[in-house]
Amino acid sequence: MPEPTMDLLRKYRRDLHRIPEVDFDLPQTLAYVHSVLDPLTQADERISVFEPCRSTVCMLVDRGTPKATAIRSDMDALPVTERTGVPFASRHPGRMHACGHDGHMAMVLGLAQHLALHVDELPRSVLLVFQPAEETTGGAKVVCQTGVFDRLGVDRIFGFHLWPDLPAGQVASRPGGLLAASNETTVDFVGKASHIAKPREGRDAIEAAALFLLDAYGMMGQRKREEPCLLKFGRIEGGQVRNQIAASARLEGSLRTFSLQMGERCRADIERLAHLDAQAVGCQASVHFSEGYPPVVNDEALFDQVAAVLPQLRTLDEPLLIAEDFAWYQQYLPGVFLLLGTGTGIALHSDTFDFDEEVLMEGVRTYERLVMME
């Protein structure tokens, strides 16, 4: 069995790119991951492959140590119609690996090949986790709830995300907050319809929504002076026709924060402002927040250990406002999430998202150093 080569990583990535699947519905992807991992169990009896929960594949390299290191890859794709024009484009209409999860899988599959050749050199056991539903409901939380980490003594976890805005091959992260908590935010206003010529007979839900939007953005501007956070609404609807006072209006957006405390404060302030602004024009308001993902907060002591073995690691000055369900793992055990530059500048989730597979080798080499940490 050879060490993972660039040609092998490229094959893994392109094979997986052709068969994108979404959420927990990943039959072809799961079969492909098993096709690579299952033969490794024949190389060493200390290697096992199992499924701790729905649409999740794990490979354990058991060194008999009380503690283990986990490495995570997500597997799901997006409901996006691909427009890259590459010869290995998606064969599944309306679905695409537009967020790099095909590359994430390729790196961890390459690491699996490497581990099978170096079992006796590992200072501790290693658990590889291939999880579903990062883009939807947070498959990481389901994995955590199985108790697999407690059963196997996992006390640290690492993961990568390809990152278009970093130079190709650059590895970057930061201690503490790296990525944001995300709460999808829906605010409804209910008023009373009337002809616009008789506005006093109505209760203008659109006016309430407009007052709230400005007040909420002003409040978030104040909060941002304390720590990074964001509230933006990307959709607003209200009313039926142009010459009628609107009886209802809805705003749909997203709240991003980097600490549980700031998240609680912002949610409370948003609800308070919605009710105040609704009352000001005789309307009623209701606010709903999705559970969302917690913030990705890198364990600072573990980050220092990582920095010591990765001299090439770039420390970012500021956290980033995207969300990632790797955060759920960090609710259960210390973890460090890393970014791997592709240098393309092509936005994540774009229908033209692509990257040069050469960067994947840097990811594998980084993982190899991390699993050798005591």
Side-chain angles (χ1 to χ4, degrees):
M1 183 193 310
E3 287 282 356
T5 63
M6 191 60 251
D7 286 344
L8 187 62
L9 296 179
R10 184 176 290 109
K11 171 179 165 49
Y12 289 159
R13 185 264 166 144
R14 296 188 179 190
D15 286 350
L16 289 161
H17 189 85
R18 291 184 176 98
I19 55 169
E21 298 170 299
V22 297
D23 199 35
F24 284 87
D25 187 19
L26 311 171
Q28 288 183 273
T29 305
L30 290 165
Y32 190 91
V33 170
H34 271 292
S35 76
V36 177
L37 298 184
D38 290 351
L40 301 181
T41 64
Q42 306 301 312
D44 195 300
E45 62 183 7
R46 292 166 293 183
I47 297 175
S48 59
V49 176
F50 61 99
E51 297 189 7
C53 54
R54 178 187 174 198
S55 300
T56 300
V57 182
C58 290
M59 183 180 107
L60 175 67
V61 183
D62 187 359
R63 290 284 288 124
T65 55
K67 299 297 181 183
T69 296
I71 302 291
R72 171 269 202 161
S73 172
D74 35 18
M75 296 188 290
D76 57 321
L78 287 157
V80 170
T81 298
E82 182 164 356
R83 293 178 55 239
T84 61
V86 296
F88 53 90
S90 169
R91 294 174 179 168
H92 295 170
R95 287 175 284 174
M96 177 190 174
H97 272 297
C99 200
H101 296 188
D102 49 349
H104 302 168
M105 286 185 280
M107 288 189 289
V108 182
L109 290 173
L111 175 65
Q113 295 272 48
H114 172 81
L115 293 175
L117 294 170
H118 299 275
V119 176
D120 289 323
E121 300 166 33
L122 294 171
R124 46 171 38 219
S125 299
V126 177
L127 178 70
L128 306 184
V129 180
F130 294 82
Q131 64 140 96
E134 189 278 326
E135 300 287 2
T136 52
T137 54
K141 186 177 183 180
V142 178
V143 177
C144 292
Q145 290 172 336
T146 66
V148 66
F149 299 128
D150 287 337
R151 290 197 301 273
L152 299 178
V154 175
D155 67 347
R156 62 176 67 149
I157 187 166
F158 302 108
F160 255 124
H161 203 302
L162 294 176
W163 204 252
D165 298 328
L166 289 171
Q170 183 170 84
V171 178
S173 190
R174 69 190 306 272
L178 174 67
L179 305 178
S182 173
N183 298 107
E184 301 308 295
T185 304
T186 304
V187 186
D188 285 298
F189 294 92
V190 177
K192 179 183 177 183
S194 73
H195 195 285
I196 62 166
K198 298 180 179 181
R200 292 183 181 178
E201 296 180 6
R203 300 290 182 268
D204 195 338
I206 287 180
E207 183 179 359
L211 289 171
F212 166 77
L213 182 68
L214 296 176
D215 285 345
Y217 281 0
M219 178 272 295
M220 291 301 296
Q222 296 174 9
R223 294 287 173 266
K224 283 195 290 186
R225 297 190 185 103
E226 302 174 44
E227 65 179 73
C229 55
L230 175 76
L231 172 68
K232 285 293 181 183
F233 290 95
R235 185 170 186 271
I236 182 170
E237 64 176 353
Q240 300 294 322
V241 293
R242 71 177 66 235
N243 62 346
Q244 183 186 69
I245 296 295
S248 64
R250 167 173 285 192
L251 294 96
E252 297 176 352
S254 186
L255 172 67
R256 304 291 170 96
T257 54
F258 289 96
S259 70
L260 297 177
Q261 296 78 8
M262 181 58 79
E264 291 173 1
R265 287 178 63 194
C266 289
R267 289 191 294 272
D269 284 338
I270 291 166
E271 186 134 13
R272 176 179 59 82
L273 288 173
H275 290 294
L276 284 175
D277 290 329
Q279 282 182 339
V281 293
C283 294
Q284 294 180 322
S286 62
V287 182
H288 178 264
F289 299 101
S290 70
E291 179 184 33
Y293 300 160
V296 172
V297 179
N298 288 331
D299 183 86
E300 298 200 10
L302 184 58
F303 182 89
D304 289 343
Q305 292 179 259
V306 169
V309 301
L310 299 179
Q312 81 277 27
L313 179 66
R314 172 183 168 185
T315 301
L316 300 175
D317 295 328
E318 297 289 337
L320 304 165
L321 284 164
I322 71 160
E324 232 284 352
D325 83 340
F326 187 85
W328 284 117
Y329 296 115
Q330 295 173 318
Q331 300 294 301
Y332 285 77
L333 67 158
V336 170
F337 197 56
L338 302 158
L339 307 177
L340 177 61
T342 67
T344 65
I346 304 172
L348 299 174
H349 294 204
S350 165
D351 57 9
T352 58
F353 182 82
D354 195 13
F355 59 91
D356 186 338
E357 289 103 342
E358 293 288 334
V359 303
L360 300 179
M361 187 57 77
E362 181 62 32
V364 175
R365 297 288 178 255
T366 299
Y367 277 144
E368 290 173 5
R369 295 185 186 99
L370 295 176
V371 298
M372 292 302 294
M373 290 169 50
E374 294 286 347

